[in-house]
Amino acid sequence: MIHSSKPQLSFETGATHLHGVLRADQIRTDTLTQLVQHWREPADRDAIIAALDELADVVHSPAREGELDAAVEQVEDVAAMDTAQIELPIPEVRRLLAELSEVARVVGRFNPAGKGASLIKHPSHAATRKHLVANPLPEQQDRRTA
């Protein structure tokens, strides 16, 4: 596991070391702050609560394509929420790049350069591969012959 100097905005490997995890606490803080920004106005609060109730209904019902996205967009529109993004100064970009590079190294160790596991060739198989190139196996005609 990678230990960041700023865990609230960081990349780490997952528990199995087979996936990466991006943590961005500032996005959650900004989201909640923007959600309640107009909360003091009764009309705005009622509209936001209605949109949240609709989102809750969508989350707790069988999913239909596009319905969740539409309900989330409705909440964002009613609450006048901005895009979920964070502006990063150059030192933070460099730190995150280093963390992501380490995560990619750990996670990608079983899948180098995007190749599937079947394409990984062990050096001990070189003689067999060379022999099969020179002496290919005969094509199988049916199930009883080789």
Side-chain angles (χ1 to χ4, degrees):
M1 181 175 282
I2 299 162
H3 297 287
S4 175
S5 60
K6 295 187 178 179
Q8 66 275 16
L9 179 62
S10 60
F11 284 104
E12 293 185 353
T13 54
T16 62
H17 288 221
L18 296 175
H19 65 277
V21 177
L22 168 62
R23 180 174 166 185
D25 293 353
Q26 188 63 46
I27 291 176
R28 182 184 317 191
T29 301
D30 291 349
T31 299
L32 291 172
T33 302
Q34 290 173 13
L35 182 64
V36 298
Q37 185 176 10
H38 305 291
W39 205 259
R40 292 191 185 264
E41 296 296 324
D44 291 341
R45 180 177 47 239
D46 292 343
I48 293 169
I49 290 172
L52 288 170
D53 285 340
E54 186 176 324
L55 176 59
D57 291 341
V58 169
V59 168
H60 293 291
S61 65
R64 291 189 301 229
E65 188 172 342
E67 193 175 26
L68 179 62
D69 291 337
V72 169
E73 285 180 23
Q74 177 68 22
V75 171
E76 291 173 340
D77 290 344
V78 170
M81 297 172 72
D82 293 331
T83 304
Q85 63 184 21
I86 303 171
E87 291 185 11
L88 302 172
I90 292 171
E92 291 295 306
V93 170
R94 287 185 180 132
R95 179 184 61 80
L96 287 170
L97 177 61
E99 289 178 10
L100 181 57
S101 296
E102 180 62 15
V103 168
R105 185 191 65 75
V106 172
V107 171
R109 70 193 183 281
F110 296 120
N111 193 10
K115 296 179 182 176
S118 64
L119 298 176
I120 299 173
K121 294 179 172 75
H122 193 275
S124 66
H125 299 156
T128 303
R129 285 193 307 274
K130 191 180 291 184
H131 174 77
L132 288 174
V133 167
N135 306 297
L137 295 173
E139 293 293 324
Q140 185 174 351
Q141 300 300 317
D142 61 30
R143 299 178 80 196
R144 292 171 291 199
T145 62

